[in-house]
Amino acid sequence: MRKMTMVDVLVVEDEPRTRERLASIIEAHPGLRLLAQAGSLHEARKALAAGLPDVVLLDLGLPDGSGLSLLDELRTKHPRAGTLVISVLGDESSVLRAIERGAGGYLLKDADDAGVVAAIDQLLAGGAPLSPSIAVHLMRRLQSPPRASKAEIQDIGLNGRELELLKLIAKGLSYEEVGQLMGLKYNTTTSYAKELYRKLQVHSRAEAVFEAQQLGLVGSN
């Protein structure tokens, strides 16, 4: 992180717990200063009118519109502000649209605290931070067709329960909520999830959703 200069950060995230977590990461770092928090596009625009940040941590799915529209505004009106998208959406469409609209980097929400700080540091240094799984998947996307064949999908071998679970977590539901809808105990739900991850060859919920979107098993949001 840059020394002798405080980096002002605006956090734009509608989910309260995630917003609080990101804010706490900023407040805990001696080189970062939390300029403001916003839970919507409206609040973000008010915060930008009050003071220009060095970095914007931006979620794409906001209650009053897409974060992509804020990217357009930042690129046009505040080009010096670096923007780091932090989203649960890891599909290539979301990533490419965000980058095309001016995002300087893209992290999945399962990035740990150190990863968020490192990404901000890289962004300020002129880099383009990407979650490792996103970088890998983008490379695959550029090197191969966007959809797997039916035979490849069948080879994965998901059963009905696993596919149902996959579709529910793709909607953003927690394991507790999934268990309630599927009539399963929490431990059983997590067991299904582990087997699902193994079959998809992924290590997190975000990667599982991304792979499912790539294979056409669930729709892109």
Side-chain angles (χ1 to χ4, degrees), residues 60 68 85 87-99 106-108 130 133-135 137-138 141 146-147 170 205-216 218-221:
L60 295 182
L68 293 173
V85 170
S87 177
V88 71
L89 301 175
D91 60 286
E92 81 280 358
S93 175
S94 297
V95 175
L96 291 175
R97 282 187 298 164
I99 293 173
Y106 202 113
L107 292 185
L108 295 178
L130 295 173
S133 59
I134 286 182
H137 290 313
L138 283 178
R141 175 64 183 88
R147 298 280 180 177
R205 172 194 296 261
E207 288 183 74
V209 172
F210 176 79
E211 279 294 329
Q213 291 171 342
Q214 292 295 100
L215 293 167
V218 299
S220 299
N221 294 323

Side-chain angles (χ1 to χ4, degrees), residues 91-217:
D91 60 286
E92 81 280 358
S93 175
S94 297
V95 175
L96 291 175
R97 282 187 298 164
I99 293 173
E100 288 169 354
R101 306 284 269 273
Y106 202 113
L107 292 185
L108 295 178
K109 285 187 179 179
D110 58 2
D112 60 20
D113 294 7
V116 173
V117 172
I120 293 173
D121 194 22
Q122 187 178 351
L123 185 68
L124 292 170
L130 295 173
S131 286
S133 59
I134 286 182
V136 170
H137 290 313
L138 283 178
M139 287 297 292
R140 288 181 186 171
R141 175 64 183 88
L142 293 172
Q143 295 170 355
S144 62
R147 298 280 180 177
S149 67
K150 290 183 179 180
E152 289 173 318
I153 293 174
Q154 291 173 351
D155 285 343
I156 296 172
L158 298 184
N159 61 38
R161 284 290 203 180
E162 291 164 350
L163 185 57
E164 183 180 2
L165 184 147
L166 179 58
K167 291 179 178 179
L168 290 173
I169 65 173
K171 294 180 179 179
L173 300 182
S174 67
Y175 287 143
E176 291 86 353
E177 293 168 328
V178 170
Q180 290 175 2
L181 289 173
M182 295 179 65
L184 301 173
K185 294 182 179 179
Y186 179 82
N187 289 342
T188 305
T189 304
T190 56
S191 294
Y192 278 133
K194 289 179 181 178
E195 182 63 12
L196 173 65
Y197 289 3
R198 184 191 68 78
K199 290 181 178 180
L200 291 175
Q201 299 182 35
V202 298
H203 303 286
S204 70
R205 172 194 296 261
E207 288 183 74
V209 172
F210 176 79
E211 279 294 329
Q213 291 171 342
Q214 292 295 100
L215 293 167
L217 297 174

Side-chain angles (χ1 to χ4, degrees), residues 12 14 39-42 45 58-70:
V12 184
D14 68 316
S40 66
L41 288 175
H42 176 69
R45 288 168 179 143
L58 176 64
D59 184 21
L60 295 182
L62 298 170
D64 53 348
S66 171
L68 293 173
S69 62
L70 193 64

